[in-house]
Amino acid sequence: MDKFLVPAVPKPLDGEVEIAGAKNAVLAIMPAALLADGISEISNVPHLKDMKTMSDVLRIIGCRIDGENHKLRIDTRGANHLEAPYELVKTMRASFYVLGPLVARFGRCRVSLPGGCAWGPRPIDLHLKGLEALGAKINITHGYVEATCEGRLKGGTFHFPISSVGATVNLLLAATLAEGESILQNAAIEPEIDNLVDYLISMGAKIQGRGTRTLIIQGVESLTPGKGETIADRIEAGTFLCGAVITRGRVKVTHMVPEHIMSVLNVFKEIGCDVTIGDSWVEVDARNKSLKPISVTTLPYPGFPTDLQAPLMATLASIEGNSLIQDTIYHDRFTHIAELKRLGADIQLNGNTATIIGGKSLEGADVMASDLRASAALVLSGLIAEGETTISRIYHLDRGYEDFEAKMAKLGATVSRIRPELA
Ligand code: EPZ
């Protein structure tokens, strides 16, 4: 398995990187193609492992997929195997998004339960309760969800007790073909949901309430193949901007949407960085700044995103003083703490709140990535650690950051990929 080698010489990042399409938007839009018979197209698709996994799931269902230059074409005319197997769903939870479209379009399907992830259980009860509210019959047997419905799904109302991106995606997809009106209350309002709404409307879906927590969907009998562009990845943008702060450098991220990370930019400003915002770019300058510790709580959008909790934790460990991070989305998303402590960070966890005693000098070490965003946090800390850092299991990072080493090189940092079998 590949490793990253982050060399010993800490130096400030300085440069500009172009942000790729949003992984979490594409993962919601690809299953939408199942709602129509024909060839759907998606542009600005990042070259990531998760896209390949979702393609594999759709191919097993019978779709043909090809693409080049960050474009995907999904031909669903051969979709007839209404199942998503455990071997794939266990590697990527978002595979579960095929449940809604398959039962809505074909009246039945069998999808493996996603199981947990590095930081604990990831329930899907809201996905299932929501689909039942639309008339689906749900049966869980041998680790699989079997969903069926007589004829079409029936429009209904579902109130999300907590904000759930994935459950909103699954229900939104299913409701587009249900008979009658569906109302999704307290729906997630992450930008990726808006991107999906726009794509579904390109297919002929009738959706009101874009950008609000109440989505009203008038079901239609059929949809036509979609065509749309993926929004920029706000989490990739935030990750590289954390790099500017932790190395006391300057980074400009382009081809992105500043308003999608305002909560993150406000944190950088409060810490004491200069933040400049353009119409499709942001620059964070932390050069020669005396930065201050801060307390941050992760929240559903537009609050501070849980996906940047680990990269921010690494960043705060470089700032003198006590900072706090509370993760209210995932109370156990802290597997990165043990590895950051191996690099010398001083972090104490109490429940779902981490106290970071910042300013300790870090020393390079061998560390192991545990999940996608934790791997990015370890690279960031490796950039400022005295001495070499090697990071194993970086297949996690390859799930969500396109051309990571090349982008780091553009910022002046050498992050080398070591293929042990070739070493
Ligand atoms: C999406 O996961 C993202 N993944 C995650 O990004 C992100 O961390 C998360 O949203 C929160 O923003 C994709 O979009 C593919 P949720 P999802 O349903 O949909 C609880 C990354 O790094 N919940 O919004 O699985 C859940 O346990 C990944 O790119 C239920 O209780 O997250 C959590 O506490 C990691 N029952 C909260 O809701 C359910 O049925 C929010 O989860 C579903 C969720």
Side-chain angles (χ1 to χ4, degrees):
M1 283 189 272
D2 292 2
K3 291 185 177 184
F4 271 161
L5 173 63
V6 184
V9 186
K11 75 183 176 70
L13 296 185
D14 193 350
E16 179 175 318
V17 286
E18 190 173 314
I19 299 303
K23 164 179 87 77
N24 291 348
V26 176
L27 288 172
I29 292 172
M30 289 176 74
L34 292 167
L35 294 166
D37 193 38
I39 301 175
S40 289
E41 296 180 1
I42 313 168
S43 59
N44 195 32
V45 174
H47 292 144
L48 295 171
K49 203 165 142 225
D50 272 13
M51 272 64 267
K52 183 185 171 313
T53 305
M54 184 61 87
S55 297
D56 291 345
V57 172
L58 295 175
R59 285 192 180 101
I60 283 180
I61 293 169
C63 301
R64 294 220 326 276
I65 297 175
D66 63 38
E68 72 289 318
N69 304 329
H70 293 87
K71 275 192 175 25
L72 268 188
R73 275 183 302 280
I74 303 170
D75 184 346
T76 61
R77 286 172 295 186
N80 59 8
H81 180 70
L82 309 179
E83 177 159 332
Y86 174 62
E87 293 67 39
L88 282 173
V89 179
K90 73 177 179 185
T91 67
M92 185 185 69
R93 173 186 169 77
S95 317
F96 202 65
Y97 291 166
V98 301
L99 181 68
L102 286 177
V103 70
R105 172 115 185 272
F106 298 100
R108 63 182 175 80
C109 65
R110 188 169 178 271
V111 177
S112 168
L113 285 168
C117 70
W119 65 77
R122 300 277 295 278
I124 42 100
D125 55 312
L126 300 180
H127 296 242
L128 303 184
K129 284 184 190 133
L131 287 172
E132 285 175 329
L134 300 186
K137 295 277 174 292
I138 302 288
N139 178 34
I140 296 180
T141 169
H142 300 296
Y144 278 75
V145 173
E146 294 177 348
T148 54
C149 67
E150 291 302 316
R152 291 169 64 189
L153 289 174
K154 302 288 176 288
T157 296
F158 184 72
H159 175 88
F160 292 93
I162 56 170
S163 178
S164 164
V165 172
T168 300
V169 167
N170 240 326
L171 265 64
L172 185 52
L173 292 168
T176 58
L177 290 179
E179 197 170 349
E181 177 177 89
S182 297
I183 302 176
L184 305 184
Q185 297 172 332
N186 194 30
I189 57 171
E190 272 66 6
E192 294 75 27
I193 300 290
D194 291 349
N195 203 187
L196 175 61
V197 168
D198 294 341
Y199 195 85
L200 289 169
I201 289 172
S202 83
M203 300 176 75
K206 300 198 180 329
I207 304 169
Q208 295 164 294
R210 177 189 189 281
T212 77
R213 290 202 173 280
T214 302
L215 294 172
I216 300 171
I217 304 104
Q218 303 302 334
V220 294
E221 283 205 18
S222 67
L223 292 170
T224 53
K227 190 175 173 72
E229 179 170 358
T230 310
I231 58 170
D233 194 315
R234 59 194 169 98
I235 305 302
E236 183 194 21
T239 304
F240 282 110
L241 293 173
C242 279
V245 185
I246 195 170
T247 62
R248 306 300 186 270
R250 171 185 54 179
V251 169
K252 181 176 182 180
V253 291
T254 64
H255 297 75
M256 50 80 71
V257 182
E259 71 182 84
H260 288 171
I261 54 166
M262 288 316 284
S263 60
V264 183
L265 302 181
N266 291 339
V267 164
F268 294 150
K269 283 180 197 166
E270 200 178 326
I271 286 175
C273 304
D274 287 341
V275 176
T276 312
I277 298 175
D279 51 8
S280 62
W281 58 268
V282 168
E283 180 177 276
V284 169
D285 189 345
R287 294 173 301 171
N288 313 313
K289 298 275 185 304
S290 61
L291 303 182
K292 299 190 303 223
I294 189 175
S295 291
V296 176
T297 299
T298 69
L299 289 169
Y301 190 84
F304 191 93
T306 175
D307 291 349
L308 285 174
Q309 182 254 98
L312 180 68
M313 186 178 289
T315 305
L316 297 178
S318 76
I319 297 173
E320 191 82 31
N322 286 9
S323 290
L324 288 176
I325 297 185
Q326 180 184 27
D327 199 324
T328 65
I329 308 295
Y330 297 109
H331 294 189
D332 40 14
R333 189 177 191 170
F334 295 104
T335 43
H336 43 284
I337 289 180
E339 297 305 298
L340 290 173
K341 289 173 84 165
R342 285 180 49 67
L343 293 168
D346 186 355
I347 302 168
Q348 286 148 29
L349 181 64
N350 180 7
N352 65 331
T353 301
T355 301
I356 301 108
I357 297 95
K360 303 286 190 319
S361 60
L362 301 187
E363 293 179 348
D366 296 338
V367 290
M368 183 173 76
S370 53
D371 64 78
L372 166 54
R373 308 303 175 183
S375 50
L378 293 173
V379 174
L380 293 177
S381 290
L383 291 176
I384 61 168
E386 289 293 337
E388 270 186 2
T389 295
T390 57
I391 304 167
S392 58
R393 301 192 180 183
I394 54 161
Y395 57 84
H396 289 294
L397 186 130
D398 293 335
R399 291 187 53 182
Y401 292 97
E402 180 188 68
D403 296 339
F404 187 77
E405 304 99 286
K407 291 186 180 183
M408 275 292 174
K410 283 196 75 175
L411 299 174
T414 311
V415 176
S416 318
R417 183 181 294 261
I418 315 166
R419 292 204 155 85
E421 61 277 11
L422 303 178

